[in-house]
């Protein structure tokens, strides 16, 4: 069992967390968004091998956060609550 | 010098002390250029090369594999072959694969040990039975064999299932496909490799693609750990590593890579002669010809390129097995492993030209592409030979993510993803 750091609760079992996609994948705004941009937003993924920045949610407390992680070694480098990633 | 496998050649080699067998495929040095380059020596890549030579008479073909052929998901899968999908496009695709599998040992002159022992997808409630009936109807209308099983039918094919009145996942019936079964995974890779090699295809192992050669906005070849190789057309079938290569080619794909685990027990006497899948536990089980109980389950839910799998998922899978088959409680597990699978939002593959012109894709098979190898190979070969889709591959083009014409086989894929 790997432990992931919830910014609110601290280290908890990996099974309590849910993956939420690439960090920085902002929803396009406005009424005239071209189809390709919608498709990019909805479906295209970076899916990096190695260093990754991802959105996760700790399902027990509901905290959403950005986790920096290595997808090959599973090493966790940082976790930052959403909204705080610019100040941190 | 024995080239063709037959009962007679077995007999002759017996007399000759097995000294005449040749290597099953050649291992030549890479040439500077080919008519077609296929990246990835898994089942799909090898089958693509074979059908290029056999169906399209294009034999100046190289398969470039970074490790050893079949060392990816093809050699790590639980070998279930079936075609019980829901949508007409999938029925065409997996139906083609299934038919080709049925003739494959003869076609390749290599025994892929296809064993059509049947498969039952269990239904654990009245509601699941209703969905089951709908699925069976859809399959029958599409001309795919399927039968709705009663609890008695299930008991007949899988008497060791947990039929206790206290079972957590009781049996209300099931979806039966009699033509489904298993095949030997290595044999599929090796059989295609041998047949392709005999038709002139170069199979080059320990050759990793590190970059693409791009000229005039088109893909012209690849940079590899064994030098630059040019190709008239380039195809890639690299499963869980599709996004990595796409990144080098300058585009992204609707794919997340996850570890999918499997495990086998010690070998035991024959006890289960069919494939049983329980949607309740997310686990499916069969028995290999060697006697091992082969166990597969759901994905690890953490995006990963670590070809190993995490413990919690394995625990869930084992718990599911014991719920389904309490009789396996004393079995010893012998091996556990994982493969990195390419998961797409609609659980259907991606087949077609990539955003980099002249580079063609065969990926997104996720947890279920072993059964599709003959079709994936046929279709990528057709794309590489003609540059165009046929009716079977057309719906699976990457453009469906922009047009919204998804083919959502989340249920048909059997394993949740
Ligand atoms: C545990 C498990 C159980 C499964 N069970 C089933 C099942 O029961 N039924 C079913 O139908 N499917 C099953 N699958 C899915 C199935 O195994 C795959 O969909 C299928 O094997 C994919 O074949 P492929 O040829 O596309 O990929 P692979 O066999 O993975 O081949 C891709 C190859 O590309 C190579 N490669 C990657 N990057 C590079 C590079 N840069 N340069 C050169 N080569 C490269 C890799 O080394 C690899 O050999 C299972 C998968 C797993 C992991
Ligand atoms: Zn928390």
């Amino acid at each position: 069992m790997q432990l992931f750091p919830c910014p609110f609760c601290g280290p908890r079992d990996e099974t309590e967390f849910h993956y939420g996609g690439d960090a920085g994948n902002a929803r396009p705004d406005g009424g005239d968004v071209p189809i390709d941009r919608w498709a990019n937003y909805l479906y295209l993924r970076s899916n990096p091998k190695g260093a990754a920045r991802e959105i996760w949610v700790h399902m027990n407390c509901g905290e959403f956060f950005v986790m920096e992680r290595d997808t090959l070694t599973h090493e966790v480098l940082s976790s930052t609550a959403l909204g705080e990633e610019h100040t941190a | 010098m024995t080239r063709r496998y037959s009962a007679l050649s077995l007999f002759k080699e017996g007399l000759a002390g097995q000294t005449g067998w040749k290597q099953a495929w050649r291992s030549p040095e890479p040439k500077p250029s080919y008519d077609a380059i296929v990246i990835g020596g898994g089942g799909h890549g090898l089958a693509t090369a074979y059908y290029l030579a056999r169906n399209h008479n294009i034999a100046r073909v190289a398969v470039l594999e970074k490790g050893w052929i079949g060392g990816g998901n093809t050699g790590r899968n639980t070998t279930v072959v079936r075609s019980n999908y829901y949508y007409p496009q999938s029925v065409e695709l997996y139906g083609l694969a299934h038919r080709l599998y049925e003739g494959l040992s003869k076609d390749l002159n290599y025994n892929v040990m296809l064993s059509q022992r049947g498969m039952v997808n269990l239904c654990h409630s009245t509601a699941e039975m209703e969905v089951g009936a709908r699925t069976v109807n859809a399959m029958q209308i599409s001309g795919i064999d399927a039968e709705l099983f009663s609890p008695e039918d299930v008991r007949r094919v899988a008497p060791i299932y947990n039929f206790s009145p206290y079972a957590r996942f009781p049996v209300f019936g099931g979806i039966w496909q009699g033509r489904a079964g298993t095949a030997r995974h290595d044999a599929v890779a090796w059989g295609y490799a041998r047949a392709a090699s005999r038709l002139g295809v170069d199979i080059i192992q320990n050759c990793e693609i590190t970059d693409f050669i791009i000229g005039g906005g088109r893909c012209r070849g690849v940079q590899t750990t064994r030098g630059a190789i040019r190709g008239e057309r380039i195809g890639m079938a690299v499963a869980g590593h599709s996004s990595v290569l796409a990144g080098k080619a300058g585009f992204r794909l609707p794919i997340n890579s996850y570890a999918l685990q499997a495990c086998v027990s010690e070998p035991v006497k024959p006890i289960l002669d069919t494939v049983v899948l329980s949607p309740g536990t997310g686990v499916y089980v069969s028995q290999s010809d060697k006697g091992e109980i082969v166990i597969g389950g759901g994905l690890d839910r953490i995006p990963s390129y670590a070809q190993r799998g995490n413990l919690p998922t394995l625990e869930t899978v084992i718990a599911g097995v014991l719920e389904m088959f309490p009789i396996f409680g004393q079995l010893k597990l012998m091996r556990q492993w994982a493969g990195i699978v390419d998961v797409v939002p609609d659980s259907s593959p991606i087949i077609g030209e990539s955003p980099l012109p002249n580079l063609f894709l065969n990926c997104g098979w996720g947890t279920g592409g072993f059964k599709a190898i003959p079709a994936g190979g046929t279709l990528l070969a057709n794309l590489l030979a003609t540059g165009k889709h046929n009716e079977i591959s057309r719906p699976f083009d990457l453009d469906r993510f922009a047009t919204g014409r998804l083919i959502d086989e989340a249920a048909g894929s059997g394993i949740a993803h």
Side-chain angles (χ1 to χ4, degrees), chain A residues 6-10 12 17 58 60-63:
Chain A
C6 168
F8 190 71
C9 310
R12 306 285 294 218
F17 294 83
H58 184 213
N60 298 41
C61 73
E63 180 86 332

Side-chain angles (χ1 to χ4, degrees), chain A residues 1-2 4 14-15 17-19 22 35-36 39-40 43-49 54 56 69 71-74, chain B residues 66 240-241 243-244 252-258 301-306 308 310-312 345 401-402 406:
Chain A
M1 181 81 73
Q2 185 173 12
F4 283 159
E14 62 181 270
T15 48
F17 294 83
H18 184 74
Y19 169 64
D22 291 331
I35 274 180
D36 284 347
N40 272 6
Y43 298 118
L44 296 193
R45 298 293 173 256
S46 303
N47 196 23
K49 180 175 184 174
E54 303 165 330
W56 284 80
R69 201 171 65 88
T71 59
L72 188 56
T73 63
H74 287 199
Chain B
K66 75 170 171 186
H241 281 74
S243 302
V244 176
R252 298 196 302 164
L253 289 168
I255 289 180
N256 268 314
S257 294
Y258 290 95
R301 290 170 48 261
I302 299 167
S304 175
Y305 285 87
R308 124 192 114 212
N310 284 11
L311 200 53
F401 295 95
L406 302 188

Side-chain angles (χ1 to χ4, degrees), chain A residues 49, chain B residues 38-46 64-82 85 94 101 181-182 185 204 206-211 223-224 236-242 244-245 248 258-263 284 295-297 307 337-342 362-373 415:
Chain A
K49 180 175 184 174
Chain B
V38 182
I39 307 170
H44 283 274
L46 294 163
L64 308 179
E65 162 57 49
K66 75 170 171 186
W68 64 95
I69 62 167
N73 295 341
T74 299
R76 294 165 185 272
N77 88 95
T78 46
T79 77
V80 178
V81 173
R82 59 184 175 87
Y85 285 73
Y94 294 102
Y101 255 120
T182 57
H185 48 15
I204 298 162
N206 298 310
C207 179
E208 179 170 0
I209 278 60
T210 52
D211 213 341
Q223 298 289 354
T224 80
M236 67 181 224
V238 297
H241 281 74
S242 298
V244 176
L245 280 184
K248 296 182 194 301
Y258 290 95
L260 179 65
Q261 305 190 46
C263 52
Y284 58 99
I295 300 163
Q307 213 164 230
W337 66 93
I340 301 303
V341 296
D342 36 349
N362 166 338
C363 60
W365 296 101
T367 59
F370 177 70
K371 66 173 81 67
I373 283 171
I415 291 311

Side-chain angles (χ1 to χ4, degrees), chain B residues 96-315:
Chain B
L96 170 68
H98 208 157
R99 287 193 303 280
L100 288 171
Y101 255 120
E102 289 177 328
L104 199 58
S105 293
K106 263 221 158 96
D107 186 8
L108 300 179
N109 180 232
Y110 201 99
N111 187 1
V112 301
M113 297 167 75
L114 178 70
S115 161
Q116 293 178 291
R117 56 186 69 180
M119 171 169 186
V120 60
N121 287 31
L122 298 174
C123 299
H124 298 303
S125 64
T126 318
E128 281 186 20
M129 262 314 260
E130 280 169 14
V131 176
R134 181 167 172 250
T135 307
V136 167
N137 283 342
M139 286 164 59
Q140 288 178 348
I141 287 169
S142 300
I144 296 279
D145 74 305
E147 216 179 302
L148 194 64
F149 260 16
S150 68
E152 293 69 44
D153 293 327
V154 175
R155 196 188 281 270
R156 184 168 43 79
V157 299
I160 60 167
Y161 189 83
N162 183 2
F163 288 100
S164 125
Y166 308 108
R168 170 72 183 81
F169 296 104
V171 172
F172 279 62
I175 303 169
W176 171 254
Q177 186 176 40
R179 279 170 63 224
T182 57
R184 172 131 177 88
H185 48 15
D186 293 329
V188 171
W190 298 339
Y192 272 117
R194 172 170 169 272
S197 176
R198 288 181 64 178
L199 293 174
V201 169
D202 285 357
I203 290 161
I204 298 162
Q205 305 183 79
N206 298 310
C207 179
E208 179 170 0
I209 278 60
T210 52
D211 213 341
F212 290 94
I213 302 172
I214 300 173
R218 296 172 68 76
C219 188
R220 308 280 182 189
V222 290
Q223 298 289 354
T224 80
T225 45
R226 297 178 66 174
I229 306 175
R230 293 187 162 260
E232 291 299 317
R233 288 218 170 90
I234 294 99
M236 67 181 224
V238 297
H241 281 74
S242 298
S243 302
V244 176
L245 280 184
K248 296 182 194 301
F251 59 92
R252 298 196 302 164
L253 289 168
I255 289 180
N256 268 314
S257 294
Y258 290 95
L260 179 65
Q261 305 190 46
C263 52
V264 293
S265 74
E266 59 189 327
V268 290
K269 292 260 169 65
I271 190 164
L272 182 66
D273 62 358
T274 191
V275 185
V276 181
L277 183 148
S278 153
T281 59
V283 171
Y284 58 99
V285 181
S286 66
Q287 187 169 20
S288 75
D289 293 338
K290 280 186 283 182
E292 303 143 327
I293 304 299
V294 182
I295 300 163
L299 287 170
D300 278 37
R301 290 170 48 261
I302 299 167
S304 175
Y305 285 87
Q307 213 164 230
R308 124 192 114 212
N310 284 11
L311 200 53
T313 305
L314 185 62
E315 284 182 316

